[in-house]
Amino acid sequence: MDGFPATMDAWEDGRITRAHVLLITDLGGPLPPDARAAFEEIALPRCEDEVAGRLRGELGIVAERLHPRSLTERHAEAREDRCVTTFPLRDGLSGLNIIGPTVLIEAVYDRVTTQGGEVIDARAAAQARVRGRAAAGASDVSPVSPTQDDILASDSRSLDHIRADLLLDMLLTAQPGADPTRTDDGPGTLGAIRAKVQVVVPALTLLGADQHPADLVGRAPIDAETARTLAGATPEPWTRVLTHPVSGAVLATDTRFAEAPLRNFLQARDRHCRFPGCRVPAIRCETDHTLDHAQGGKTCVDNSAELCQRHHSMKQFTAWQVRQLGDGLLEWTSPLGHSYIDQPPAPTVHFVPDLDDPGAREQSARLRSPPRHGRASPIRHRSEHSSIPSGVARGPERTATPPRSPPARRTDRATRYAPFRLRRMSAPRRSVRPWTSC
């Protein structure tokens, strides 16, 4: 724990947990000693307001920006350590350990997870057909020669079992796309990726003007060169995320092809499941109506959020309740009556005005000043140019209301502000109840 005195003081005072201490020392350990104090100054206020599991991606970006060497340089050296190793386990099992670029490892995991889900869906359909035939008294089922449905319905493997079986099957039977003996014009390693990953890249990094790290959403930073390679190879349209120039809050998204503008907006705003403590990326979540559509809930930004399948079902079929407080804030109420506030995460990659420019300085001062009525919200107080993309239902107009009063025991914290000085940038802290990570 040497080199992080402020972290140890905060732990002793009970302001952060052991998980926060391990997170700060893990991410700040590679930093030079003279940069660790600046990292603690940014990380500690965020740790007091959020669980450790949700902060790894955000603080990872901060640590990368404070490092004197770019992630691109260090990634080029670290690639020399990629390897595949095995280790024996008990009862005839062994483990396979693969060390490689983050984007490739995450893509492999996403692909086998998606394939495993398809196998489970096919098994459920086969079981339904077998039960239907049994209820109808079908006599064409032979115990000696079971049908394809009988074979599928008898599968009792879990998702973890299916993932392992699929991965081993493909490794043993599939031909690699990066085979140097191939003579055709097949794709290379990155070009062969068919998994779905969400990458947030600064515009200047995408153009090659700098080497700032990109964010593989929900996981870890990736180097700029890999992000540019993926950007050039993807057949899908890129989505531009418009953020508040001071706080970094998501205002809107747009894309040339607006097949799903609302989902694009929610994925950019929420970035992961909105149940407190859950870190399932938004690209693998479901868009949920906070007030059910069957009960009159509208399909609009103010009545939608991204929830993973587990917590979507929990909201639907258990005593947990949730309501929207505006500006993306969700209030969850447990079956015991306890309330938990979940706020959308601030983007780890966004842009701030250059305050050396007099025009930008004047615009920043105007954006920082609160409006005369209602809450200071970059989403609530829109100009005549809509910040929500075309095709997204806005929901009913709301009148300005006073801000919610925080609990008495948290009043002192609700009025403080956390310094976040990457480039003269500050963001207000919100109070949330502590919650264990899912």
Side-chain angles (χ1 to χ4, degrees):
M1 300 297 181
D2 294 338
F4 300 90
T7 301
M8 297 304 298
D9 292 340
W11 189 20
E12 292 176 358
D13 295 339
R15 291 183 283 126
I16 61 176
T17 66
R18 182 175 181 272
H20 292 114
V21 175
L22 295 177
L23 178 66
I24 292 176
T25 55
D26 181 41
L27 297 178
L31 294 176
D34 56 348
R36 293 176 180 176
F39 179 70
E40 283 184 299
E41 185 180 8
I42 297 172
L44 286 175
R46 293 291 298 121
C47 288
E48 293 178 16
D49 281 345
E50 188 61 277
V51 296
R54 282 193 169 183
L55 292 174
R56 177 167 290 275
E58 177 182 340
L59 297 185
I61 291 290
V62 174
E64 295 299 341
R65 289 183 178 272
L66 292 175
H67 203 286
R69 298 180 62 203
S70 69
L71 180 60
T72 301
E73 298 176 22
R74 290 180 285 120
H75 177 71
E77 295 179 1
R79 282 178 58 90
E80 300 302 318
D81 296 330
R82 64 190 186 276
C83 62
V84 178
T85 59
T86 61
F87 52 94
L89 298 173
R90 296 178 179 178
D91 302 325
L93 294 179
S94 294
L96 179 67
N97 187 39
I98 304 176
I99 297 179
T102 299
V103 65
L104 295 181
I105 298 298
E106 290 296 331
V108 168
Y109 185 81
D110 182 85
R111 187 182 186 195
V112 296
T113 299
T114 303
Q115 292 176 338
E118 292 295 328
V119 172
I120 291 176
D121 291 342
R123 179 177 64 192
Q127 290 172 344
R129 290 192 293 269
V130 169
R131 288 193 299 268
R133 290 201 305 268
S139 58
D140 58 345
V141 179
S142 172
V144 179
S145 302
T147 65
Q148 181 69 19
D149 284 345
D150 295 326
I151 297 175
L152 287 176
S154 64
D155 185 6
S156 60
R157 295 176 297 171
S158 67
L159 180 59
D160 284 333
H161 298 158
I162 296 174
R163 275 195 291 242
D165 294 343
L166 288 172
L167 182 59
L168 293 175
D169 185 28
M170 288 187 288
L171 287 175
L172 291 172
T173 61
Q175 180 178 354
D179 188 350
T181 62
R182 294 180 61 175
T183 58
D184 60 355
D185 297 328
T189 304
L190 289 179
I193 293 178
R194 293 298 179 265
K196 186 176 182 180
V197 293
Q198 184 180 359
V199 181
V200 180
V201 190
L204 295 179
T205 301
L206 196 62
L207 297 175
D210 59 42
Q211 298 296 322
H212 288 164
D215 183 18
L216 184 62
V217 173
R219 295 300 180 183
I222 61 174
D223 65 288
E225 187 60 33
T226 299
R228 284 192 287 266
T229 302
L230 290 174
T234 178
E236 301 295 330
W238 277 79
T239 300
R240 181 176 59 174
V241 180
L242 307 178
T243 62
H244 192 282
V246 176
S247 67
V250 173
L251 299 179
T253 65
D254 65 1
T255 180
R256 180 179 178 184
F257 306 100
E259 291 87 1
L262 174 60
R263 184 163 176 79
N264 288 339
F265 182 93
L266 294 173
Q267 286 183 350
R269 183 194 71 181
D270 295 345
R271 300 183 62 201
H272 51 65
C273 172
R274 293 299 308 281
F275 185 79
C278 186
R279 284 279 294 173
V280 175
I283 57 176
R284 292 207 292 268
C285 289
E286 302 170 349
T287 301
D288 170 61
H289 289 79
T290 304
L291 177 62
D292 290 347
H293 189 268
Q295 299 177 2
K298 296 183 177 297
T299 305
C300 61
V301 171
D302 298 329
N303 190 50
S304 302
E306 295 296 312
L307 297 179
C308 67
Q309 185 177 26
R310 174 187 177 187
H311 292 124
H312 192 178
S313 300
M314 186 190 72
K315 167 186 172 290
Q316 189 75 18
F317 301 112
T318 71
W320 278 89
Q321 297 180 356
V322 62
R323 67 188 185 101
Q324 297 263 359
L325 301 181
D327 299 340
L329 290 174
L330 299 183
E331 181 183 51
W332 289 85
T333 303
S334 72
L336 298 179
H338 299 296
S339 296
Y340 304 91
I341 304 297
D342 185 81
Q343 56 185 342
T348 53
V349 175
H350 57 278
F351 308 95
V352 297
D354 185 1
L355 298 184
D356 294 333
D357 182 2
R361 188 164 54 248
E362 179 182 354
Q363 180 184 13
S364 177
R366 185 173 65 254
L367 289 170
R368 287 176 182 272
S369 60
R372 296 181 179 180
H373 303 287
R375 290 188 290 179
S377 168
I379 297 181
R380 289 287 185 85
H381 303 276
R382 300 187 180 93
S383 63
E384 62 181 358
H385 302 288
S386 174
S387 62
I388 295 181
S390 61
V392 178
R394 297 176 177 272
E397 295 293 333
R398 296 193 300 267
T399 58
T401 58
R404 289 171 52 87
S405 299
R409 63 187 179 90
R410 303 300 293 274
T411 301
D412 55 331
R413 293 180 59 185
T415 56
R416 291 188 298 164
Y417 287 80
F420 192 74
R421 304 187 183 95
L422 290 181
R423 285 187 60 190
R424 300 181 178 93
M425 177 173 61
S426 63
R429 291 171 54 198
R430 298 185 177 98
S431 297
V432 295
R433 291 179 64 102
W435 188 257
T436 56
S437 177
C438 293

